[in-house]
Amino acid sequence: MSLFQMKWLRRLVRQNTKPIPELEAALWKRRLSVVYALLAWNAFGFVCYMAFSGKSDWAHYHGLKSDEEKEESQAVQFSKRLNVEKGKIIRYSGFKKVEELEFDNTKDK
């Protein structure tokens, strides 16, 4: 069963529709699963094509993100999104500290 059961919706659908024979329901389930598989495969192919053609950062490609925003690390972008004013970003690779960066988002406001 689902995490959030909407019993009122189930009751409404059951009262206003007639039952489908089991064989017909299985046939439609098979058809819909084939359509879903084809759509998912095409979407995966499109994402791979965009990544390999250099358009993986679609926001920058379409001009929604500036060059400065593209050069910022993901940690700095998250700190701005979360409205963190001041802090320190420490980057590790394995067990070694690679970089330690202080940031201040108060001057942007």
Side-chain angles (χ1 to χ4, degrees), residues 1-2 23 36 44 53 56 85 103:
M1 297 301 288
S2 66
L23 291 175
Y36 175 76
F44 175 72
S53 65
S56 58
E85 294 179 359
F103 68 90

Side-chain angles (χ1 to χ4, degrees), residues 39-106:
L39 286 173
W41 182 252
N42 284 326
F44 175 72
F46 179 72
V47 168
C48 289
Y49 169 75
M50 294 299 277
F52 287 122
S53 65
K55 301 174 188 171
S56 58
D57 190 1
W58 61 269
H60 184 261
Y61 179 75
H62 291 290
L64 299 174
K65 187 189 293 186
S66 66
D67 290 333
E68 296 84 28
E69 291 173 332
K70 185 179 182 204
E71 296 302 320
E72 289 178 342
S73 71
Q74 194 172 20
V76 173
Q77 290 176 12
F78 278 128
S79 70
K80 286 182 179 178
R81 176 80 56 187
L82 295 172
N83 294 328
V84 177
E85 294 179 359
K86 293 181 183 179
K88 184 187 294 188
I89 297 171
I90 303 172
R91 191 171 70 116
Y92 286 93
S93 178
F95 291 110
K96 295 183 181 179
K97 185 189 291 187
V98 176
E99 182 182 11
E100 189 168 329
L101 173 71
E102 297 273 342
F103 68 90
D104 185 13
N105 291 335
T106 57

